[in-house]
Amino acid sequence: MAELQLQSPGKQPTIRDVAELAGVATSTVSRALSNPGRVNRVTRERIEEAAAQLNYIPSSQARGLSSGRTQTVAVLVPDITNPFYFDIIRGAQHQLKAAGYTQLLVDTEESAEMEADALQKMRRSADGFILAASRLTDAQLAEAAAQQPLVTINRAPAIAPTVVIDTPSAIIQALEHLVSLGHSRICFVGGPATSWSNAKRWQAFQEETTERKLTTFSVGPFAPKTTSGAAAADAAVHTGATACIVFNDLLAIGMLQRLRERGIRVPDDMSIVGCDDIFGADFCNPPLTTMASPIEQAGRVAVSMLLSRLNPQYGGTSRRLAVMPTHLTVRASTGAAPVR
Amino acid sequence: MAELQLQSPGKQPTIRDVAELAGVATSTVSRALSNPGRVNRVTRERIEEAAAQLNYIPSSQARGLSSGRTQTVAVLVPDITNPFYFDIIRGAQHQLKAAGYTQLLVDTEESAEMEADALQKMRRSADGFILAASRLTDAQLAEAAAQQPLVTINRAPAIAPTVVIDTPSAIIQALEHLVSLGHSRICFVGGPATSWSNAKRWQAFQEETTERKLTTFSVGPFAPKTTSGAAAADAAVHTGATACIVFNDLLAIGMLQRLRERGIRVPDDMSIVGCDDIFGADFCNPPLTTMASPIEQAGRVAVSMLLSRLNPQYGGTSRRLAVMPTHLTVRASTGAAPVR
DNA sequence: ACAAGGATGACAAGCGATTGCCAAAAATTG
DNA sequence: CAATTTTTGGCAATCGCTTGTCATCCTTGT
């Protein structure tokens, strides 16, 4: 008396069920599904049909247990809220999905401890890591890189494979732009002290302004959030500069709001250049002149670099460094320097 | 002669290594770590020390294999790019992390097929699902809900446990607001045809405008992106309405841009009300009057509902429905109706 | 037509944890 | 001090799948 048992809830079909239905051994099923060609075509088709009929999906857990791989990549970002990382997440997601990987998203809340912790805790559950704007020290990062495959985004190339968004060269473009508008008193509005990008941008700013013999100021560090914009704007205005190069768009947008509140006209009284060209930079008021980065592409490239390391057989030159070009996008937040 | 073997790369310590170092059986280690109290305190401490010394992390794969659980929840959103979902992701992430779960992020690209596919494929790798603004049909959704634990966000409560953001009542507030400003010719700018939220908003709009005997128009459906805003704006203007209630902020912001291009002043010639109060709604030009939703909280509540289902022992009343209140946030995109 | 070689598929041993069962040890009691 | 109860911890089976080994069967060449 055959028991009819379809969809006994919670009970998932196993490779054994498929083998039984197809009348073969489980090993044959395994090979037929993951290594076709090792199995007779007719048999394989029979197995595939049985699998489809049972709605069979292999358990990634069991599969990972023997293979030691999880087909999973963890993406660590300092702040999920920040649109900049959205684009990275999106690019990574896209590329991972295409390669049959799953994305584990982790928000490290701008904390080096949380980042290190996640790196440890997830060591076993992810095949590799993408560290966007890591807040780790060089030493911590080197240690982590020695333990597991990882690719950083916007971090010194010496330590681990990395994708660098070339904002320093964009800084030069931005300065060129400001100078051509007649500005000579320029303020750098700094981001988080632990940010490598911030350090690089500041360095480029200093070098270039020194060479051009410009009068410069700097304020900060500020948290990269719109809410820090008010303090940043006030500080920048106080310096007497006529133009600001701001760590990122989030902060710049916050400044824009504050300046309007205070009746300081942008760009008439003060020009503002942001960085990243995030969502919103084009429709804020006034639209923001900013250094546009191919952020999503950076996420994609980072994943590619990681995957080519994880699967060397698929080749792909395992570069240790990818530099993403940037360019200045001029909108309405920059204009001629005010006449004194 | 003891071999010194620290950090043999790629080789992770197993429970056996810990057992050996501590001089006990693996089962004792397992119990000591996951069920303290079943093991002598002294022994447990010895084991914990050994584990710490080896930097041991249990393999979630192996653990999952025997327990059948993955400590993982998949969050499916139609469009990672949309800031609305960012907040949901963020809320979910927060709550999941607090409960020791990991978030699997999936972008279903506004496609019901991809959504159904992900639901199938990840059946084994996630303990449960959060479906934000599912594009599935009721039938598909019911089937999916029968197969695995899931919680929907903004979907009819009859089918699966759900968190509903009460935008219909916000629509009424918005209409009240517009009427009080003297508007009587109001246009509904519709979102995706497959969106349940859109249907509910449209229904609320119709009921309320009928009751108030207002002259109404509707245009759409439009994709919920800023780039669709141009077409939406043109269509809305063409109706002759003096105010628009727009499916969501993304579309509304796109409309704002187009209207400015065309020299149609907001709010002087046309008032615009958005929905969701996403990132950017406060700094676009003009700042957008919108129906603000506690989106992040919705993500959190959805996770709570799911987890209380996954872990009934921890109790928590397993509600099938949570309604999140909304309210109108008035900014500068609405104003008095133009005199004819 | 027969041997050599290649395809094919069954068996069984892991992968790293959990857990039921039971024996040994410790604590409690009369 | 013996008897009984309670703790403690070891053995081994199990979760679902992969993979090395090897016997069997089918091709193909001479």
Side-chain angles (χ1 to χ4, degrees), chain A residues 15 29-36 51 56-72 100 127, chain B residues 59-62 64-65 121 124-125:
Chain A
I15 201 172
V29 175
S30 172
R31 268 188 273 266
L33 296 179
S34 54
N35 191 357
Y56 167 76
I57 301 277
S59 151
S60 50
Q61 310 231 77
R63 187 182 293 217
L65 190 51
S66 33
S67 71
R69 333 199 67 202
T70 59
Q71 294 294 107
T72 272
D127 290 346
Chain B
S59 151
S60 50
Q61 310 231 80
L65 189 51
K121 294 254 176 70
R124 305 287 293 263
S125 34

Side-chain angles (χ1 to χ4, degrees), chain A residues 1-330:
Chain A
M1 194 187 282
E3 280 253 359
L4 187 64
Q5 51 169 39
L6 31 85
Q7 305 285 21
S8 52
K11 213 58 190 122
Q12 301 288 353
T14 76
I15 201 172
R16 250 184 293 278
D17 300 323
V18 178
E20 194 176 342
L21 183 60
V24 295
T26 59
S27 56
T28 307
V29 175
S30 172
R31 268 188 273 266
L33 296 179
S34 54
N35 191 357
R38 277 287 283 119
V39 155
N40 183 295
R41 217 200 63 211
V42 181
T43 313
R44 175 161 51 81
E45 281 169 2
R46 188 150 42 92
I47 291 173
E48 280 166 355
E49 195 182 333
Q53 191 178 327
L54 292 173
N55 192 18
Y56 167 76
I57 301 277
S59 151
S60 50
Q61 310 231 77
R63 187 182 293 217
L65 190 51
S66 33
S67 71
R69 333 199 67 202
T70 59
Q71 294 294 107
T72 272
V73 165
V75 176
L76 274 53
V77 300
D79 176 13
I80 288 205
T81 313
N82 185 330
F84 174 75
Y85 300 114
F86 271 40
D87 284 328
I88 288 190
I89 292 168
R90 198 169 138 213
Q93 160 93 17
H94 185 267
Q95 200 75 354
L96 284 171
K97 193 193 290 186
Y101 276 73
T102 301
Q103 183 187 68
L104 255 37
L105 216 208
V106 182
D107 183 351
T108 59
E109 298 175 19
E110 302 273 1
S111 143
E113 287 74 47
M114 288 201 57
E115 197 175 333
D117 199 52
L119 232 22
Q120 271 305 318
K121 293 254 177 69
M122 306 185 76
R123 199 173 16 137
R124 305 289 292 266
S125 34
D127 290 346
F129 291 79
I130 303 282
L131 270 52
S134 173
R135 298 319 194 206
L136 297 180
T137 63
D138 284 2
Q140 288 178 300
L141 191 53
E143 190 189 329
Q147 300 236 346
Q148 58 234 305
L150 60 82
V151 170
T152 54
I153 295 179
N154 273 356
R155 201 50 203 257
I159 308 170
T162 189
V163 177
V164 169
I165 298 179
D166 186 21
T167 42
S169 90
I171 293 266
I172 297 175
Q173 295 176 46
L175 283 169
E176 174 80 41
H177 169 63
L178 292 175
V179 166
S180 70
L181 287 171
H183 293 275
S184 61
R185 305 169 56 80
I186 302 178
C187 179
F188 181 83
V189 180
T194 50
S195 161
W196 182 81
S197 302
N198 186 60
K200 289 314 243 184
R201 288 174 201 170
W202 169 236
Q203 186 189 339
F205 177 84
Q206 279 184 299
E207 288 171 8
E208 189 68 12
T209 51
T210 303
E211 191 163 320
R212 291 173 182 267
K213 307 209 190 320
L214 297 170
T215 307
T216 65
F217 311 89
S218 83
V219 296
F222 295 105
K225 313 188 174 215
T226 54
T227 47
S228 305
D234 292 346
V237 167
H238 185 67
T239 65
T242 61
C244 290
I245 291 190
V246 186
F247 170 65
N248 77 0
D249 286 352
L250 233 31
L251 197 51
I253 289 172
M255 290 176 70
L256 252 28
Q257 291 182 283
R258 176 62 164 195
L259 293 172
R260 184 157 351 97
E261 272 174 36
R262 290 189 47 185
I264 298 167
R265 293 165 305 163
V266 176
D268 307 25
D269 303 326
M270 169 80 93
S271 286
I272 301 281
V273 179
C275 184
D276 295 340
D277 198 14
I278 61 170
F279 171 84
D282 58 333
F283 63 73
C284 56
N285 184 14
L288 193 62
T289 293
T290 188
M291 303 173 256
S293 326
I295 313 176
E296 190 178 334
Q297 200 189 333
R300 283 218 285 273
V301 170
V303 167
S304 298
M305 286 171 68
L306 183 62
L307 293 186
S308 79
R309 228 155 269 267
L310 294 178
N311 311 71
Q313 67 275 27
Y314 296 139
T317 56
S318 289
R319 292 178 300 170
R320 283 189 60 84
L321 173 63
V323 177
M324 314 302 293
T326 61
H327 65 271
L328 190 70
T329 294
V330 176

